[in-house]
Amino acid sequence: MIGLALPLLLATAVAPPLPAPQSLARFPDASYWPGVGLQQAANMLAELKRDCEREMRTHGPGPQQLAARWARGGLSERDQLALLLGGASYHHLSLLPAYAEGLRSPSLKVRQAAAVGLAWLVGDRAPAPQSIPDTPETWERLGGFADALVQASRTRTLVGIWVDSYLHARGLPRRPGLVVVREPAQCLQAILEVASPADLPELLALWPLLDVPGDRYTVLRALEMIMVARLVASPGSERGGWGDWVYETGAQAVDAFVAQRCATVDGWEVARRNALGVSRADDGCGGCTATPWLRLLEMAYPPVWAVALEVLPAFGAPFTPYDRSNPMTGGTAQSLDLVFAYFEIQGRAPGGRVQRRVQ
């Protein structure tokens, strides 16, 4: 028995390298990318975010496994960069201690990756790596912010922190504790980026406090995604205008939904129920099969794809990046072929063509 246990112990002790794109080797040097100055750095970060996210979400471990890998120590610099940049796409609070430690790393490259990745994780705007002053005061300040996030995450969700930050920016009463000092629109944009069905109670509680039309419409877009519900009305024709009235009808629907609530709501239950109804594919087990989620991807309304694209990898589908700020763009629709190709189905693609896709 001892002879068999030792090789097994050695095999589990040597973990494989974390997945990362080839472009990671260039970080933080932006000279390879087109553009000048900050635009060049922005192009680098956009490509790295997309590529690192795809590699980690397709081939890597989950966020809690990543957090455990970091806590055990012994990661190479390359794996630390892969974790800090690729793991951010999970928006998972279990990874926050890794960023707090990464910001105090002896390696400047790791510190820069931790600063960029932490911004991505919380849904904030990432700084250009070379624009971060390389001073002890800067890194201690950023590390202190990460420590404060770790503490705050013990009692509040990430969306909850951004809700409180929004209320603080608007001068409205809020819960005590950490706030991120940003403009109100930036706080709501971060919520749009990181919200999941589990955050529905937070957003429904925030809704009555939104008295600026633009703020209501941003949260409305987030609610459409996490509730898997079409709330924005169609203009009725290709020539119809997309004025404020289109969004206001959806806002009024949310007003009515909130007015009817007398108790907390289970966001995932709402998302699953709506997914079955919108897709018209009740699988009889509340969305425990891939069928209703795939049917959502056949719809030509990208906001209802968001939760489906998060759920389908659990059934083995490849991860597909989804731009929540611009869900109507064609990039995601073109990437759906990879998801459809995994399943043996006949589906109507978003472009309206019927085609056969085989795994």
Side-chain angles (χ1 to χ4, degrees), residues 39-80:
Q39 184 57 52
Q40 190 175 42
N43 290 335
M44 174 190 70
L45 291 178
E47 182 172 328
L48 277 174
K49 182 180 182 182
R50 183 188 67 243
D51 293 350
C52 289
E53 177 181 46
R54 181 182 289 112
E55 285 293 318
M56 186 63 72
R57 297 290 293 272
T58 302
H59 305 294
Q64 292 171 322
Q65 289 80 9
L66 288 174
R69 288 278 296 269
W70 182 280
R72 286 198 297 268
L75 291 177
S76 66
E77 182 179 82
R78 179 255 183 212
D79 278 0
Q80 291 181 57

